[in-house]
Amino acid sequence: SGANLDGDALTAHLGERYQITLTSYKVYPCCRCIHPLLDALGKIRREVNIEPANVKRMKLSLYRRGAISVDNHMLRTHNARYAMAMALQRGTLTRELFAEDVAMDEITPLMERIELFADEDLQKEWPEKYPGIVTIHTWDDKAYTERVDYPRGTPENPIGLDELRDKFLMVTTPVMGQERGAELAQLLLTRNFRAREVTRVVTGPAAEDERLH
């Protein structure tokens, strides 16, 4: 109620703490719920070279809310089995790999060996954490497990400017081309620019000439 309103909270830490620093960046072009699993898979692959054909079973464990969101979803960007199989098969996930016209023949057998579970213990840690666990069993009787609590790109697990720039170019290049995308990235990273400079790069030289005339 109005009687309990804490007006001081509106100005607490004003000029000292900036909410923009809590922004998260999506490293992968798919549903955020899948990201801790992709990071866990990446950690396993940095430790050992696992060929897709040698995967006997892959177990994915997520907090319940996340598992429900990405379990056999009709959208490929929201389908954990599809994203994980494609990541293991191709190594790197790009926007193009989630297009509906991408053939699934090469990953369908692998998807059938991937199981997704809603873990109630992980659910208890959400949303303070976004935990995911990946366990891979291979045909040569070995097992590899990794857990990630904070996906890369979160304030707790930040990425560097080079990786952020690469992600920026991934989404801008199809729209404005690599040269303009790189110019815009460089401009924004300077953190000292005018709005008209951003508009010039975004709209392109043709639009700039039209405005001048």
Side-chain angles (χ1 to χ4, degrees):
S1 66
N4 297 323
L5 181 64
D6 182 7
D8 291 337
L10 296 175
T11 56
H13 304 290
L14 186 64
E16 302 172 2
R17 185 176 62 193
Y18 300 93
Q19 292 300 312
I20 196 171
T21 62
L22 302 180
T23 298
S24 293
Y25 300 97
K26 291 179 64 176
V27 176
Y28 310 105
C30 59
C31 178
R32 187 53 174 271
C33 299
I34 307 174
H35 288 212
L37 301 175
L38 290 167
D39 283 342
L41 175 61
K43 292 175 68 174
I44 292 174
R45 298 194 71 186
R46 285 191 290 274
E47 295 295 327
V48 60
N49 181 29
I50 298 181
E51 294 295 330
N54 194 32
V55 175
K56 181 178 182 180
R57 176 187 178 221
M58 184 188 299
K59 177 184 177 182
L60 313 176
S61 299
L62 272 179
Y63 52 98
R64 185 178 67 254
R65 183 66 183 86
I68 292 174
S69 300
V70 296
D71 186 17
N72 285 329
H73 201 288
M74 63 181 296
L75 293 177
R76 295 183 179 188
T77 54
H78 290 62
N79 189 311
R81 291 180 179 84
Y82 178 89
M84 295 294 287
M86 190 61 80
L88 185 59
Q89 183 73 29
R90 297 294 185 93
T92 302
L93 289 178
T94 63
R95 293 172 65 250
E96 292 74 19
L97 292 178
F98 289 94
E100 290 300 320
D101 58 352
V102 174
M104 294 180 57
D105 298 349
E106 64 175 311
I107 64 168
T108 297
L110 181 56
M111 288 179 63
E112 294 173 349
R113 302 196 297 275
I114 298 176
E115 301 172 283
L116 176 63
F117 296 89
D119 190 305
E120 292 303 322
D121 288 332
L122 297 183
Q123 176 64 26
K124 296 174 184 177
E125 301 182 45
W126 178 82
E128 286 74 21
K129 297 179 180 179
Y130 293 83
I133 303 173
V134 174
T135 299
I136 297 178
H137 298 271
T138 60
W139 289 105
D140 53 354
D141 295 325
K142 295 179 180 179
Y144 306 93
T145 299
E146 286 289 351
R147 169 175 173 155
V148 169
D149 288 330
Y150 302 103
R152 289 188 307 122
T154 57
E156 297 84 2
N157 189 6
I159 58 176
L161 286 180
D162 287 342
E163 191 169 5
L164 181 59
R165 181 178 182 275
D166 290 343
K167 173 61 187 292
F168 182 83
L169 292 177
M170 178 196 297
V171 297
T172 57
T173 296
V175 179
M176 61 175 58
Q178 180 146 2
E179 184 176 345
R180 282 168 57 202
E183 182 181 359
L184 181 59
Q186 184 62 36
L187 178 62
L188 295 175
L189 287 173
T190 64
R191 304 179 186 178
N192 183 22
F193 54 84
R194 295 179 180 276
R196 68 176 61 180
E197 295 176 302
V198 175
T199 301
R200 174 186 59 79
V201 178
V202 171
T203 58
E208 178 70 15
D209 290 343
E210 183 177 337
R211 285 195 300 272
L212 292 175
H213 293 86

